Amino acid sequence: YKRQEVFNFVEEMQKQLDHPEFVVEYKIDGLSMSLRYENGELILAETRGDGINFGEDVTANAKVIKDVKQKLKDKPEYLEIRGEVYMKNAAFEKVNETQELLGKKVFANPRNCAAGTLRQLDSKVTKERDLSMFIFNIQQVRGMEFATHTEGYEFLKKQGIHVIDDYKVCKTAEEVWDAITAIGENRGNLAYDIDGAVVKINRFSDREQLGETSKVPRWAIAYKYPPEEKESRLLNIELSVGRTGRITPTAVFEPVRLCGTSVSRATLHNQDFIDDLDIGIGDTIVVYKSGEIIPKIKEVKKEKRPSDWKRFVIPDVCPVCGAKTEREKDTADIKCTSPNCPAQLERHIINFVGRDAMDIKGFGTVYIEELVRLGYINNVADVFVLKTHRDELIDQGIIGKEKNTDKLLDAIEKSKENDAYKLLTGLGIPNVGKAAAKAIMKYFKDMDHLKEASVEQLTEVNDIGEVSALCIRNFFTDEKNIEILDRLKEYGVNMQAEETETVESVLTGKTVVVTGTLPTLGRKEASELIEKYGGKASSSVSKKTDYVLAGENAGSKLTKAQELGIPVISEEQLKEMLGI
């Protein structure tokens, strides 16, 4: 952590070794992985073990990382190299944007995202997320020899392997410190996160002489940069609305220079964070860069506070559309409640065309983003007007050529025939998912009756509580929503629930969770069968669950059922219970 500690290390090495050389290089903030080659062919990629267990075999995923070479130009008998798998900041932002659009949890930082991506079961996901890799060491080699670490790097570079950028060879403590300082000054300009610098002995014979402890090599140290801090004045707090409706406050302050770059903005996360900081416009704040990359506010200098100061409070109306906002249960997030908020449009359309809602096959995220950007879609009703723009869509190639465009337009037309519960699911009413929508439409039969329902009538539906009922009532009292529903009706979208015959059985009124792979039934077919015989198909196990229908690879739901003492049945047992 200190200059003197670096000098002490260099001087100790000079005492023990004959004119040692030192290599100073970036310490990348990622996940360690080794690559093993036999006769120039990649045979294994493995994460670092924990000292007791071996690491994980991640060969399939490693092969889709562009920096991982599967064949070497030269072919040593055996070569094992180690490096760091990481994610560039641009790639990380793209992944989180996709996660948010799909309604999934975003990653906290690039390192966590890289670690999770490398361990994905589906290598297609790994490839899409665009991981990178630096090699920082040759672990073992047979069939050739290298005298120094940097000689090994030169060999690897000839193979097209990406090694650590901008490493420096040094001979004195001053040179080592200058190299560490240079990395520190440049770290704000890098396309990826680093969490320090590493100083290594260059000659392999010197490394062997020094050896290693049970945890770390004696021939290397890592230097961590102290966070640079500066005072600034808070000028404003801007509010932005994300694609999920979440409102994010951002501090705007007088520009200060940190880690080689000028910064003037930092996220304030949510109201709880604002309250904890006790921050308001006009405050003098202390700013630093977390991980030397992300600007953050450390504290408020309250002794410098202006006389007319007020703590900032996020308003109860959306800054984009003016709709009411509310705090999401069990979180610190404040969200806009309007599904028609322009800031949420892409996310809303993705939900509307998705499998659980209108199930419009082939309507991918990329098409939605482009159609929204070009103004073809401004709300869900506009999806059904796209056919009037057919020629324009084909000319611009938004969806593709004639065949692809017509295929999607046909799928949109076909979706008009869906059961009305799918439409209700797609409207994006808070607390109304697929299961709730099914129960509601089964009770009210059509959208017109639902539109007029009171909170008391809504709570008569099984599993619809007062909070959900209020959300539904608020939705149907909004003029914009009524206008959209009227348009959907005009375009021929079905507003009626399908009449389904329910058979009285042992499942009537029972809740069943389906998990794992069943012998003959798909998940959807099993759920439909349960509902046909009067049961309710649920996606999560709780104390209210009556049965868990389990197949192969049932996983955590089966474990939870066993812990709660819930009866677990097979597909065969289910059919026996139903007499089919």
Side-chain angles (χ1 to χ4, degrees), residues 54-116:
F54 290 108
E56 295 174 55
D57 182 344
V58 289
T59 310
N61 286 344
K63 286 180 176 179
V64 300
I65 299 173
K66 60 183 178 298
D67 292 325
V68 172
K69 294 294 175 186
Q70 296 184 45
K71 292 186 178 182
L72 305 182
K73 295 174 187 174
D74 297 311
K75 300 177 180 180
E77 179 188 337
Y78 178 82
L79 176 68
E80 182 179 345
I81 53 180
R82 182 170 290 283
E84 204 80 6
V85 176
Y86 67 100
M87 187 170 270
K88 291 180 180 176
N89 295 323
F92 172 66
E93 287 166 13
K94 189 176 178 183
V95 169
N96 264 354
E97 190 173 281
T98 302
Q99 290 288 104
E100 193 170 18
L101 271 173
L102 296 174
K104 296 180 179 179
K105 189 177 179 181
V106 296
F107 292 94
N109 53 58
R111 190 193 184 285
N112 286 4
C113 188

Side-chain angles (χ1 to χ4, degrees), residues 469-516:
L470 281 167
C471 289
I472 297 164
R473 191 73 221 114
N474 290 339
F475 180 87
F476 285 111
T477 52
D478 187 309
E479 288 182 13
K480 289 179 184 175
N481 296 333
I482 297 302
E483 184 187 328
I484 289 168
L485 277 170
D486 289 344
R487 284 180 62 200
L488 290 168
K489 192 173 185 178
E490 180 190 333
Y491 299 150
V493 177
N494 177 42
M495 301 279 164
Q496 300 278 333
E498 289 178 7
E499 289 294 332
T500 54
E501 188 180 337
T502 303
V503 181
E504 288 286 325
S505 77
V506 292
L507 290 186
T508 301
K510 304 290 186 184
T511 299
V512 184
V513 173
V514 184
T515 182

Side-chain angles (χ1 to χ4, degrees), residues 35-44 66-81 135 138 140-144 146 152-163:
L35 303 174
R36 299 181 189 180
Y37 296 85
E38 283 185 358
N39 299 314
E41 298 271 348
L42 178 65
I43 60 162
L44 179 68
K66 60 183 178 298
D67 292 325
V68 172
K69 294 294 175 186
Q70 296 184 45
K71 292 186 178 182
L72 305 182
K73 295 174 187 174
D74 297 311
K75 300 177 180 180
E77 179 188 337
Y78 178 82
L79 176 68
E80 182 179 345
I81 53 180
I135 297 301
I138 292 177
Q140 289 185 54
V141 63
R142 293 196 298 270
M144 60 176 56
F146 305 112
Y153 271 179
E154 292 306 312
F155 167 78
L156 294 176
K157 284 195 275 186
K158 286 177 185 174
Q159 310 308 305
I161 290 173
H162 195 184
V163 302

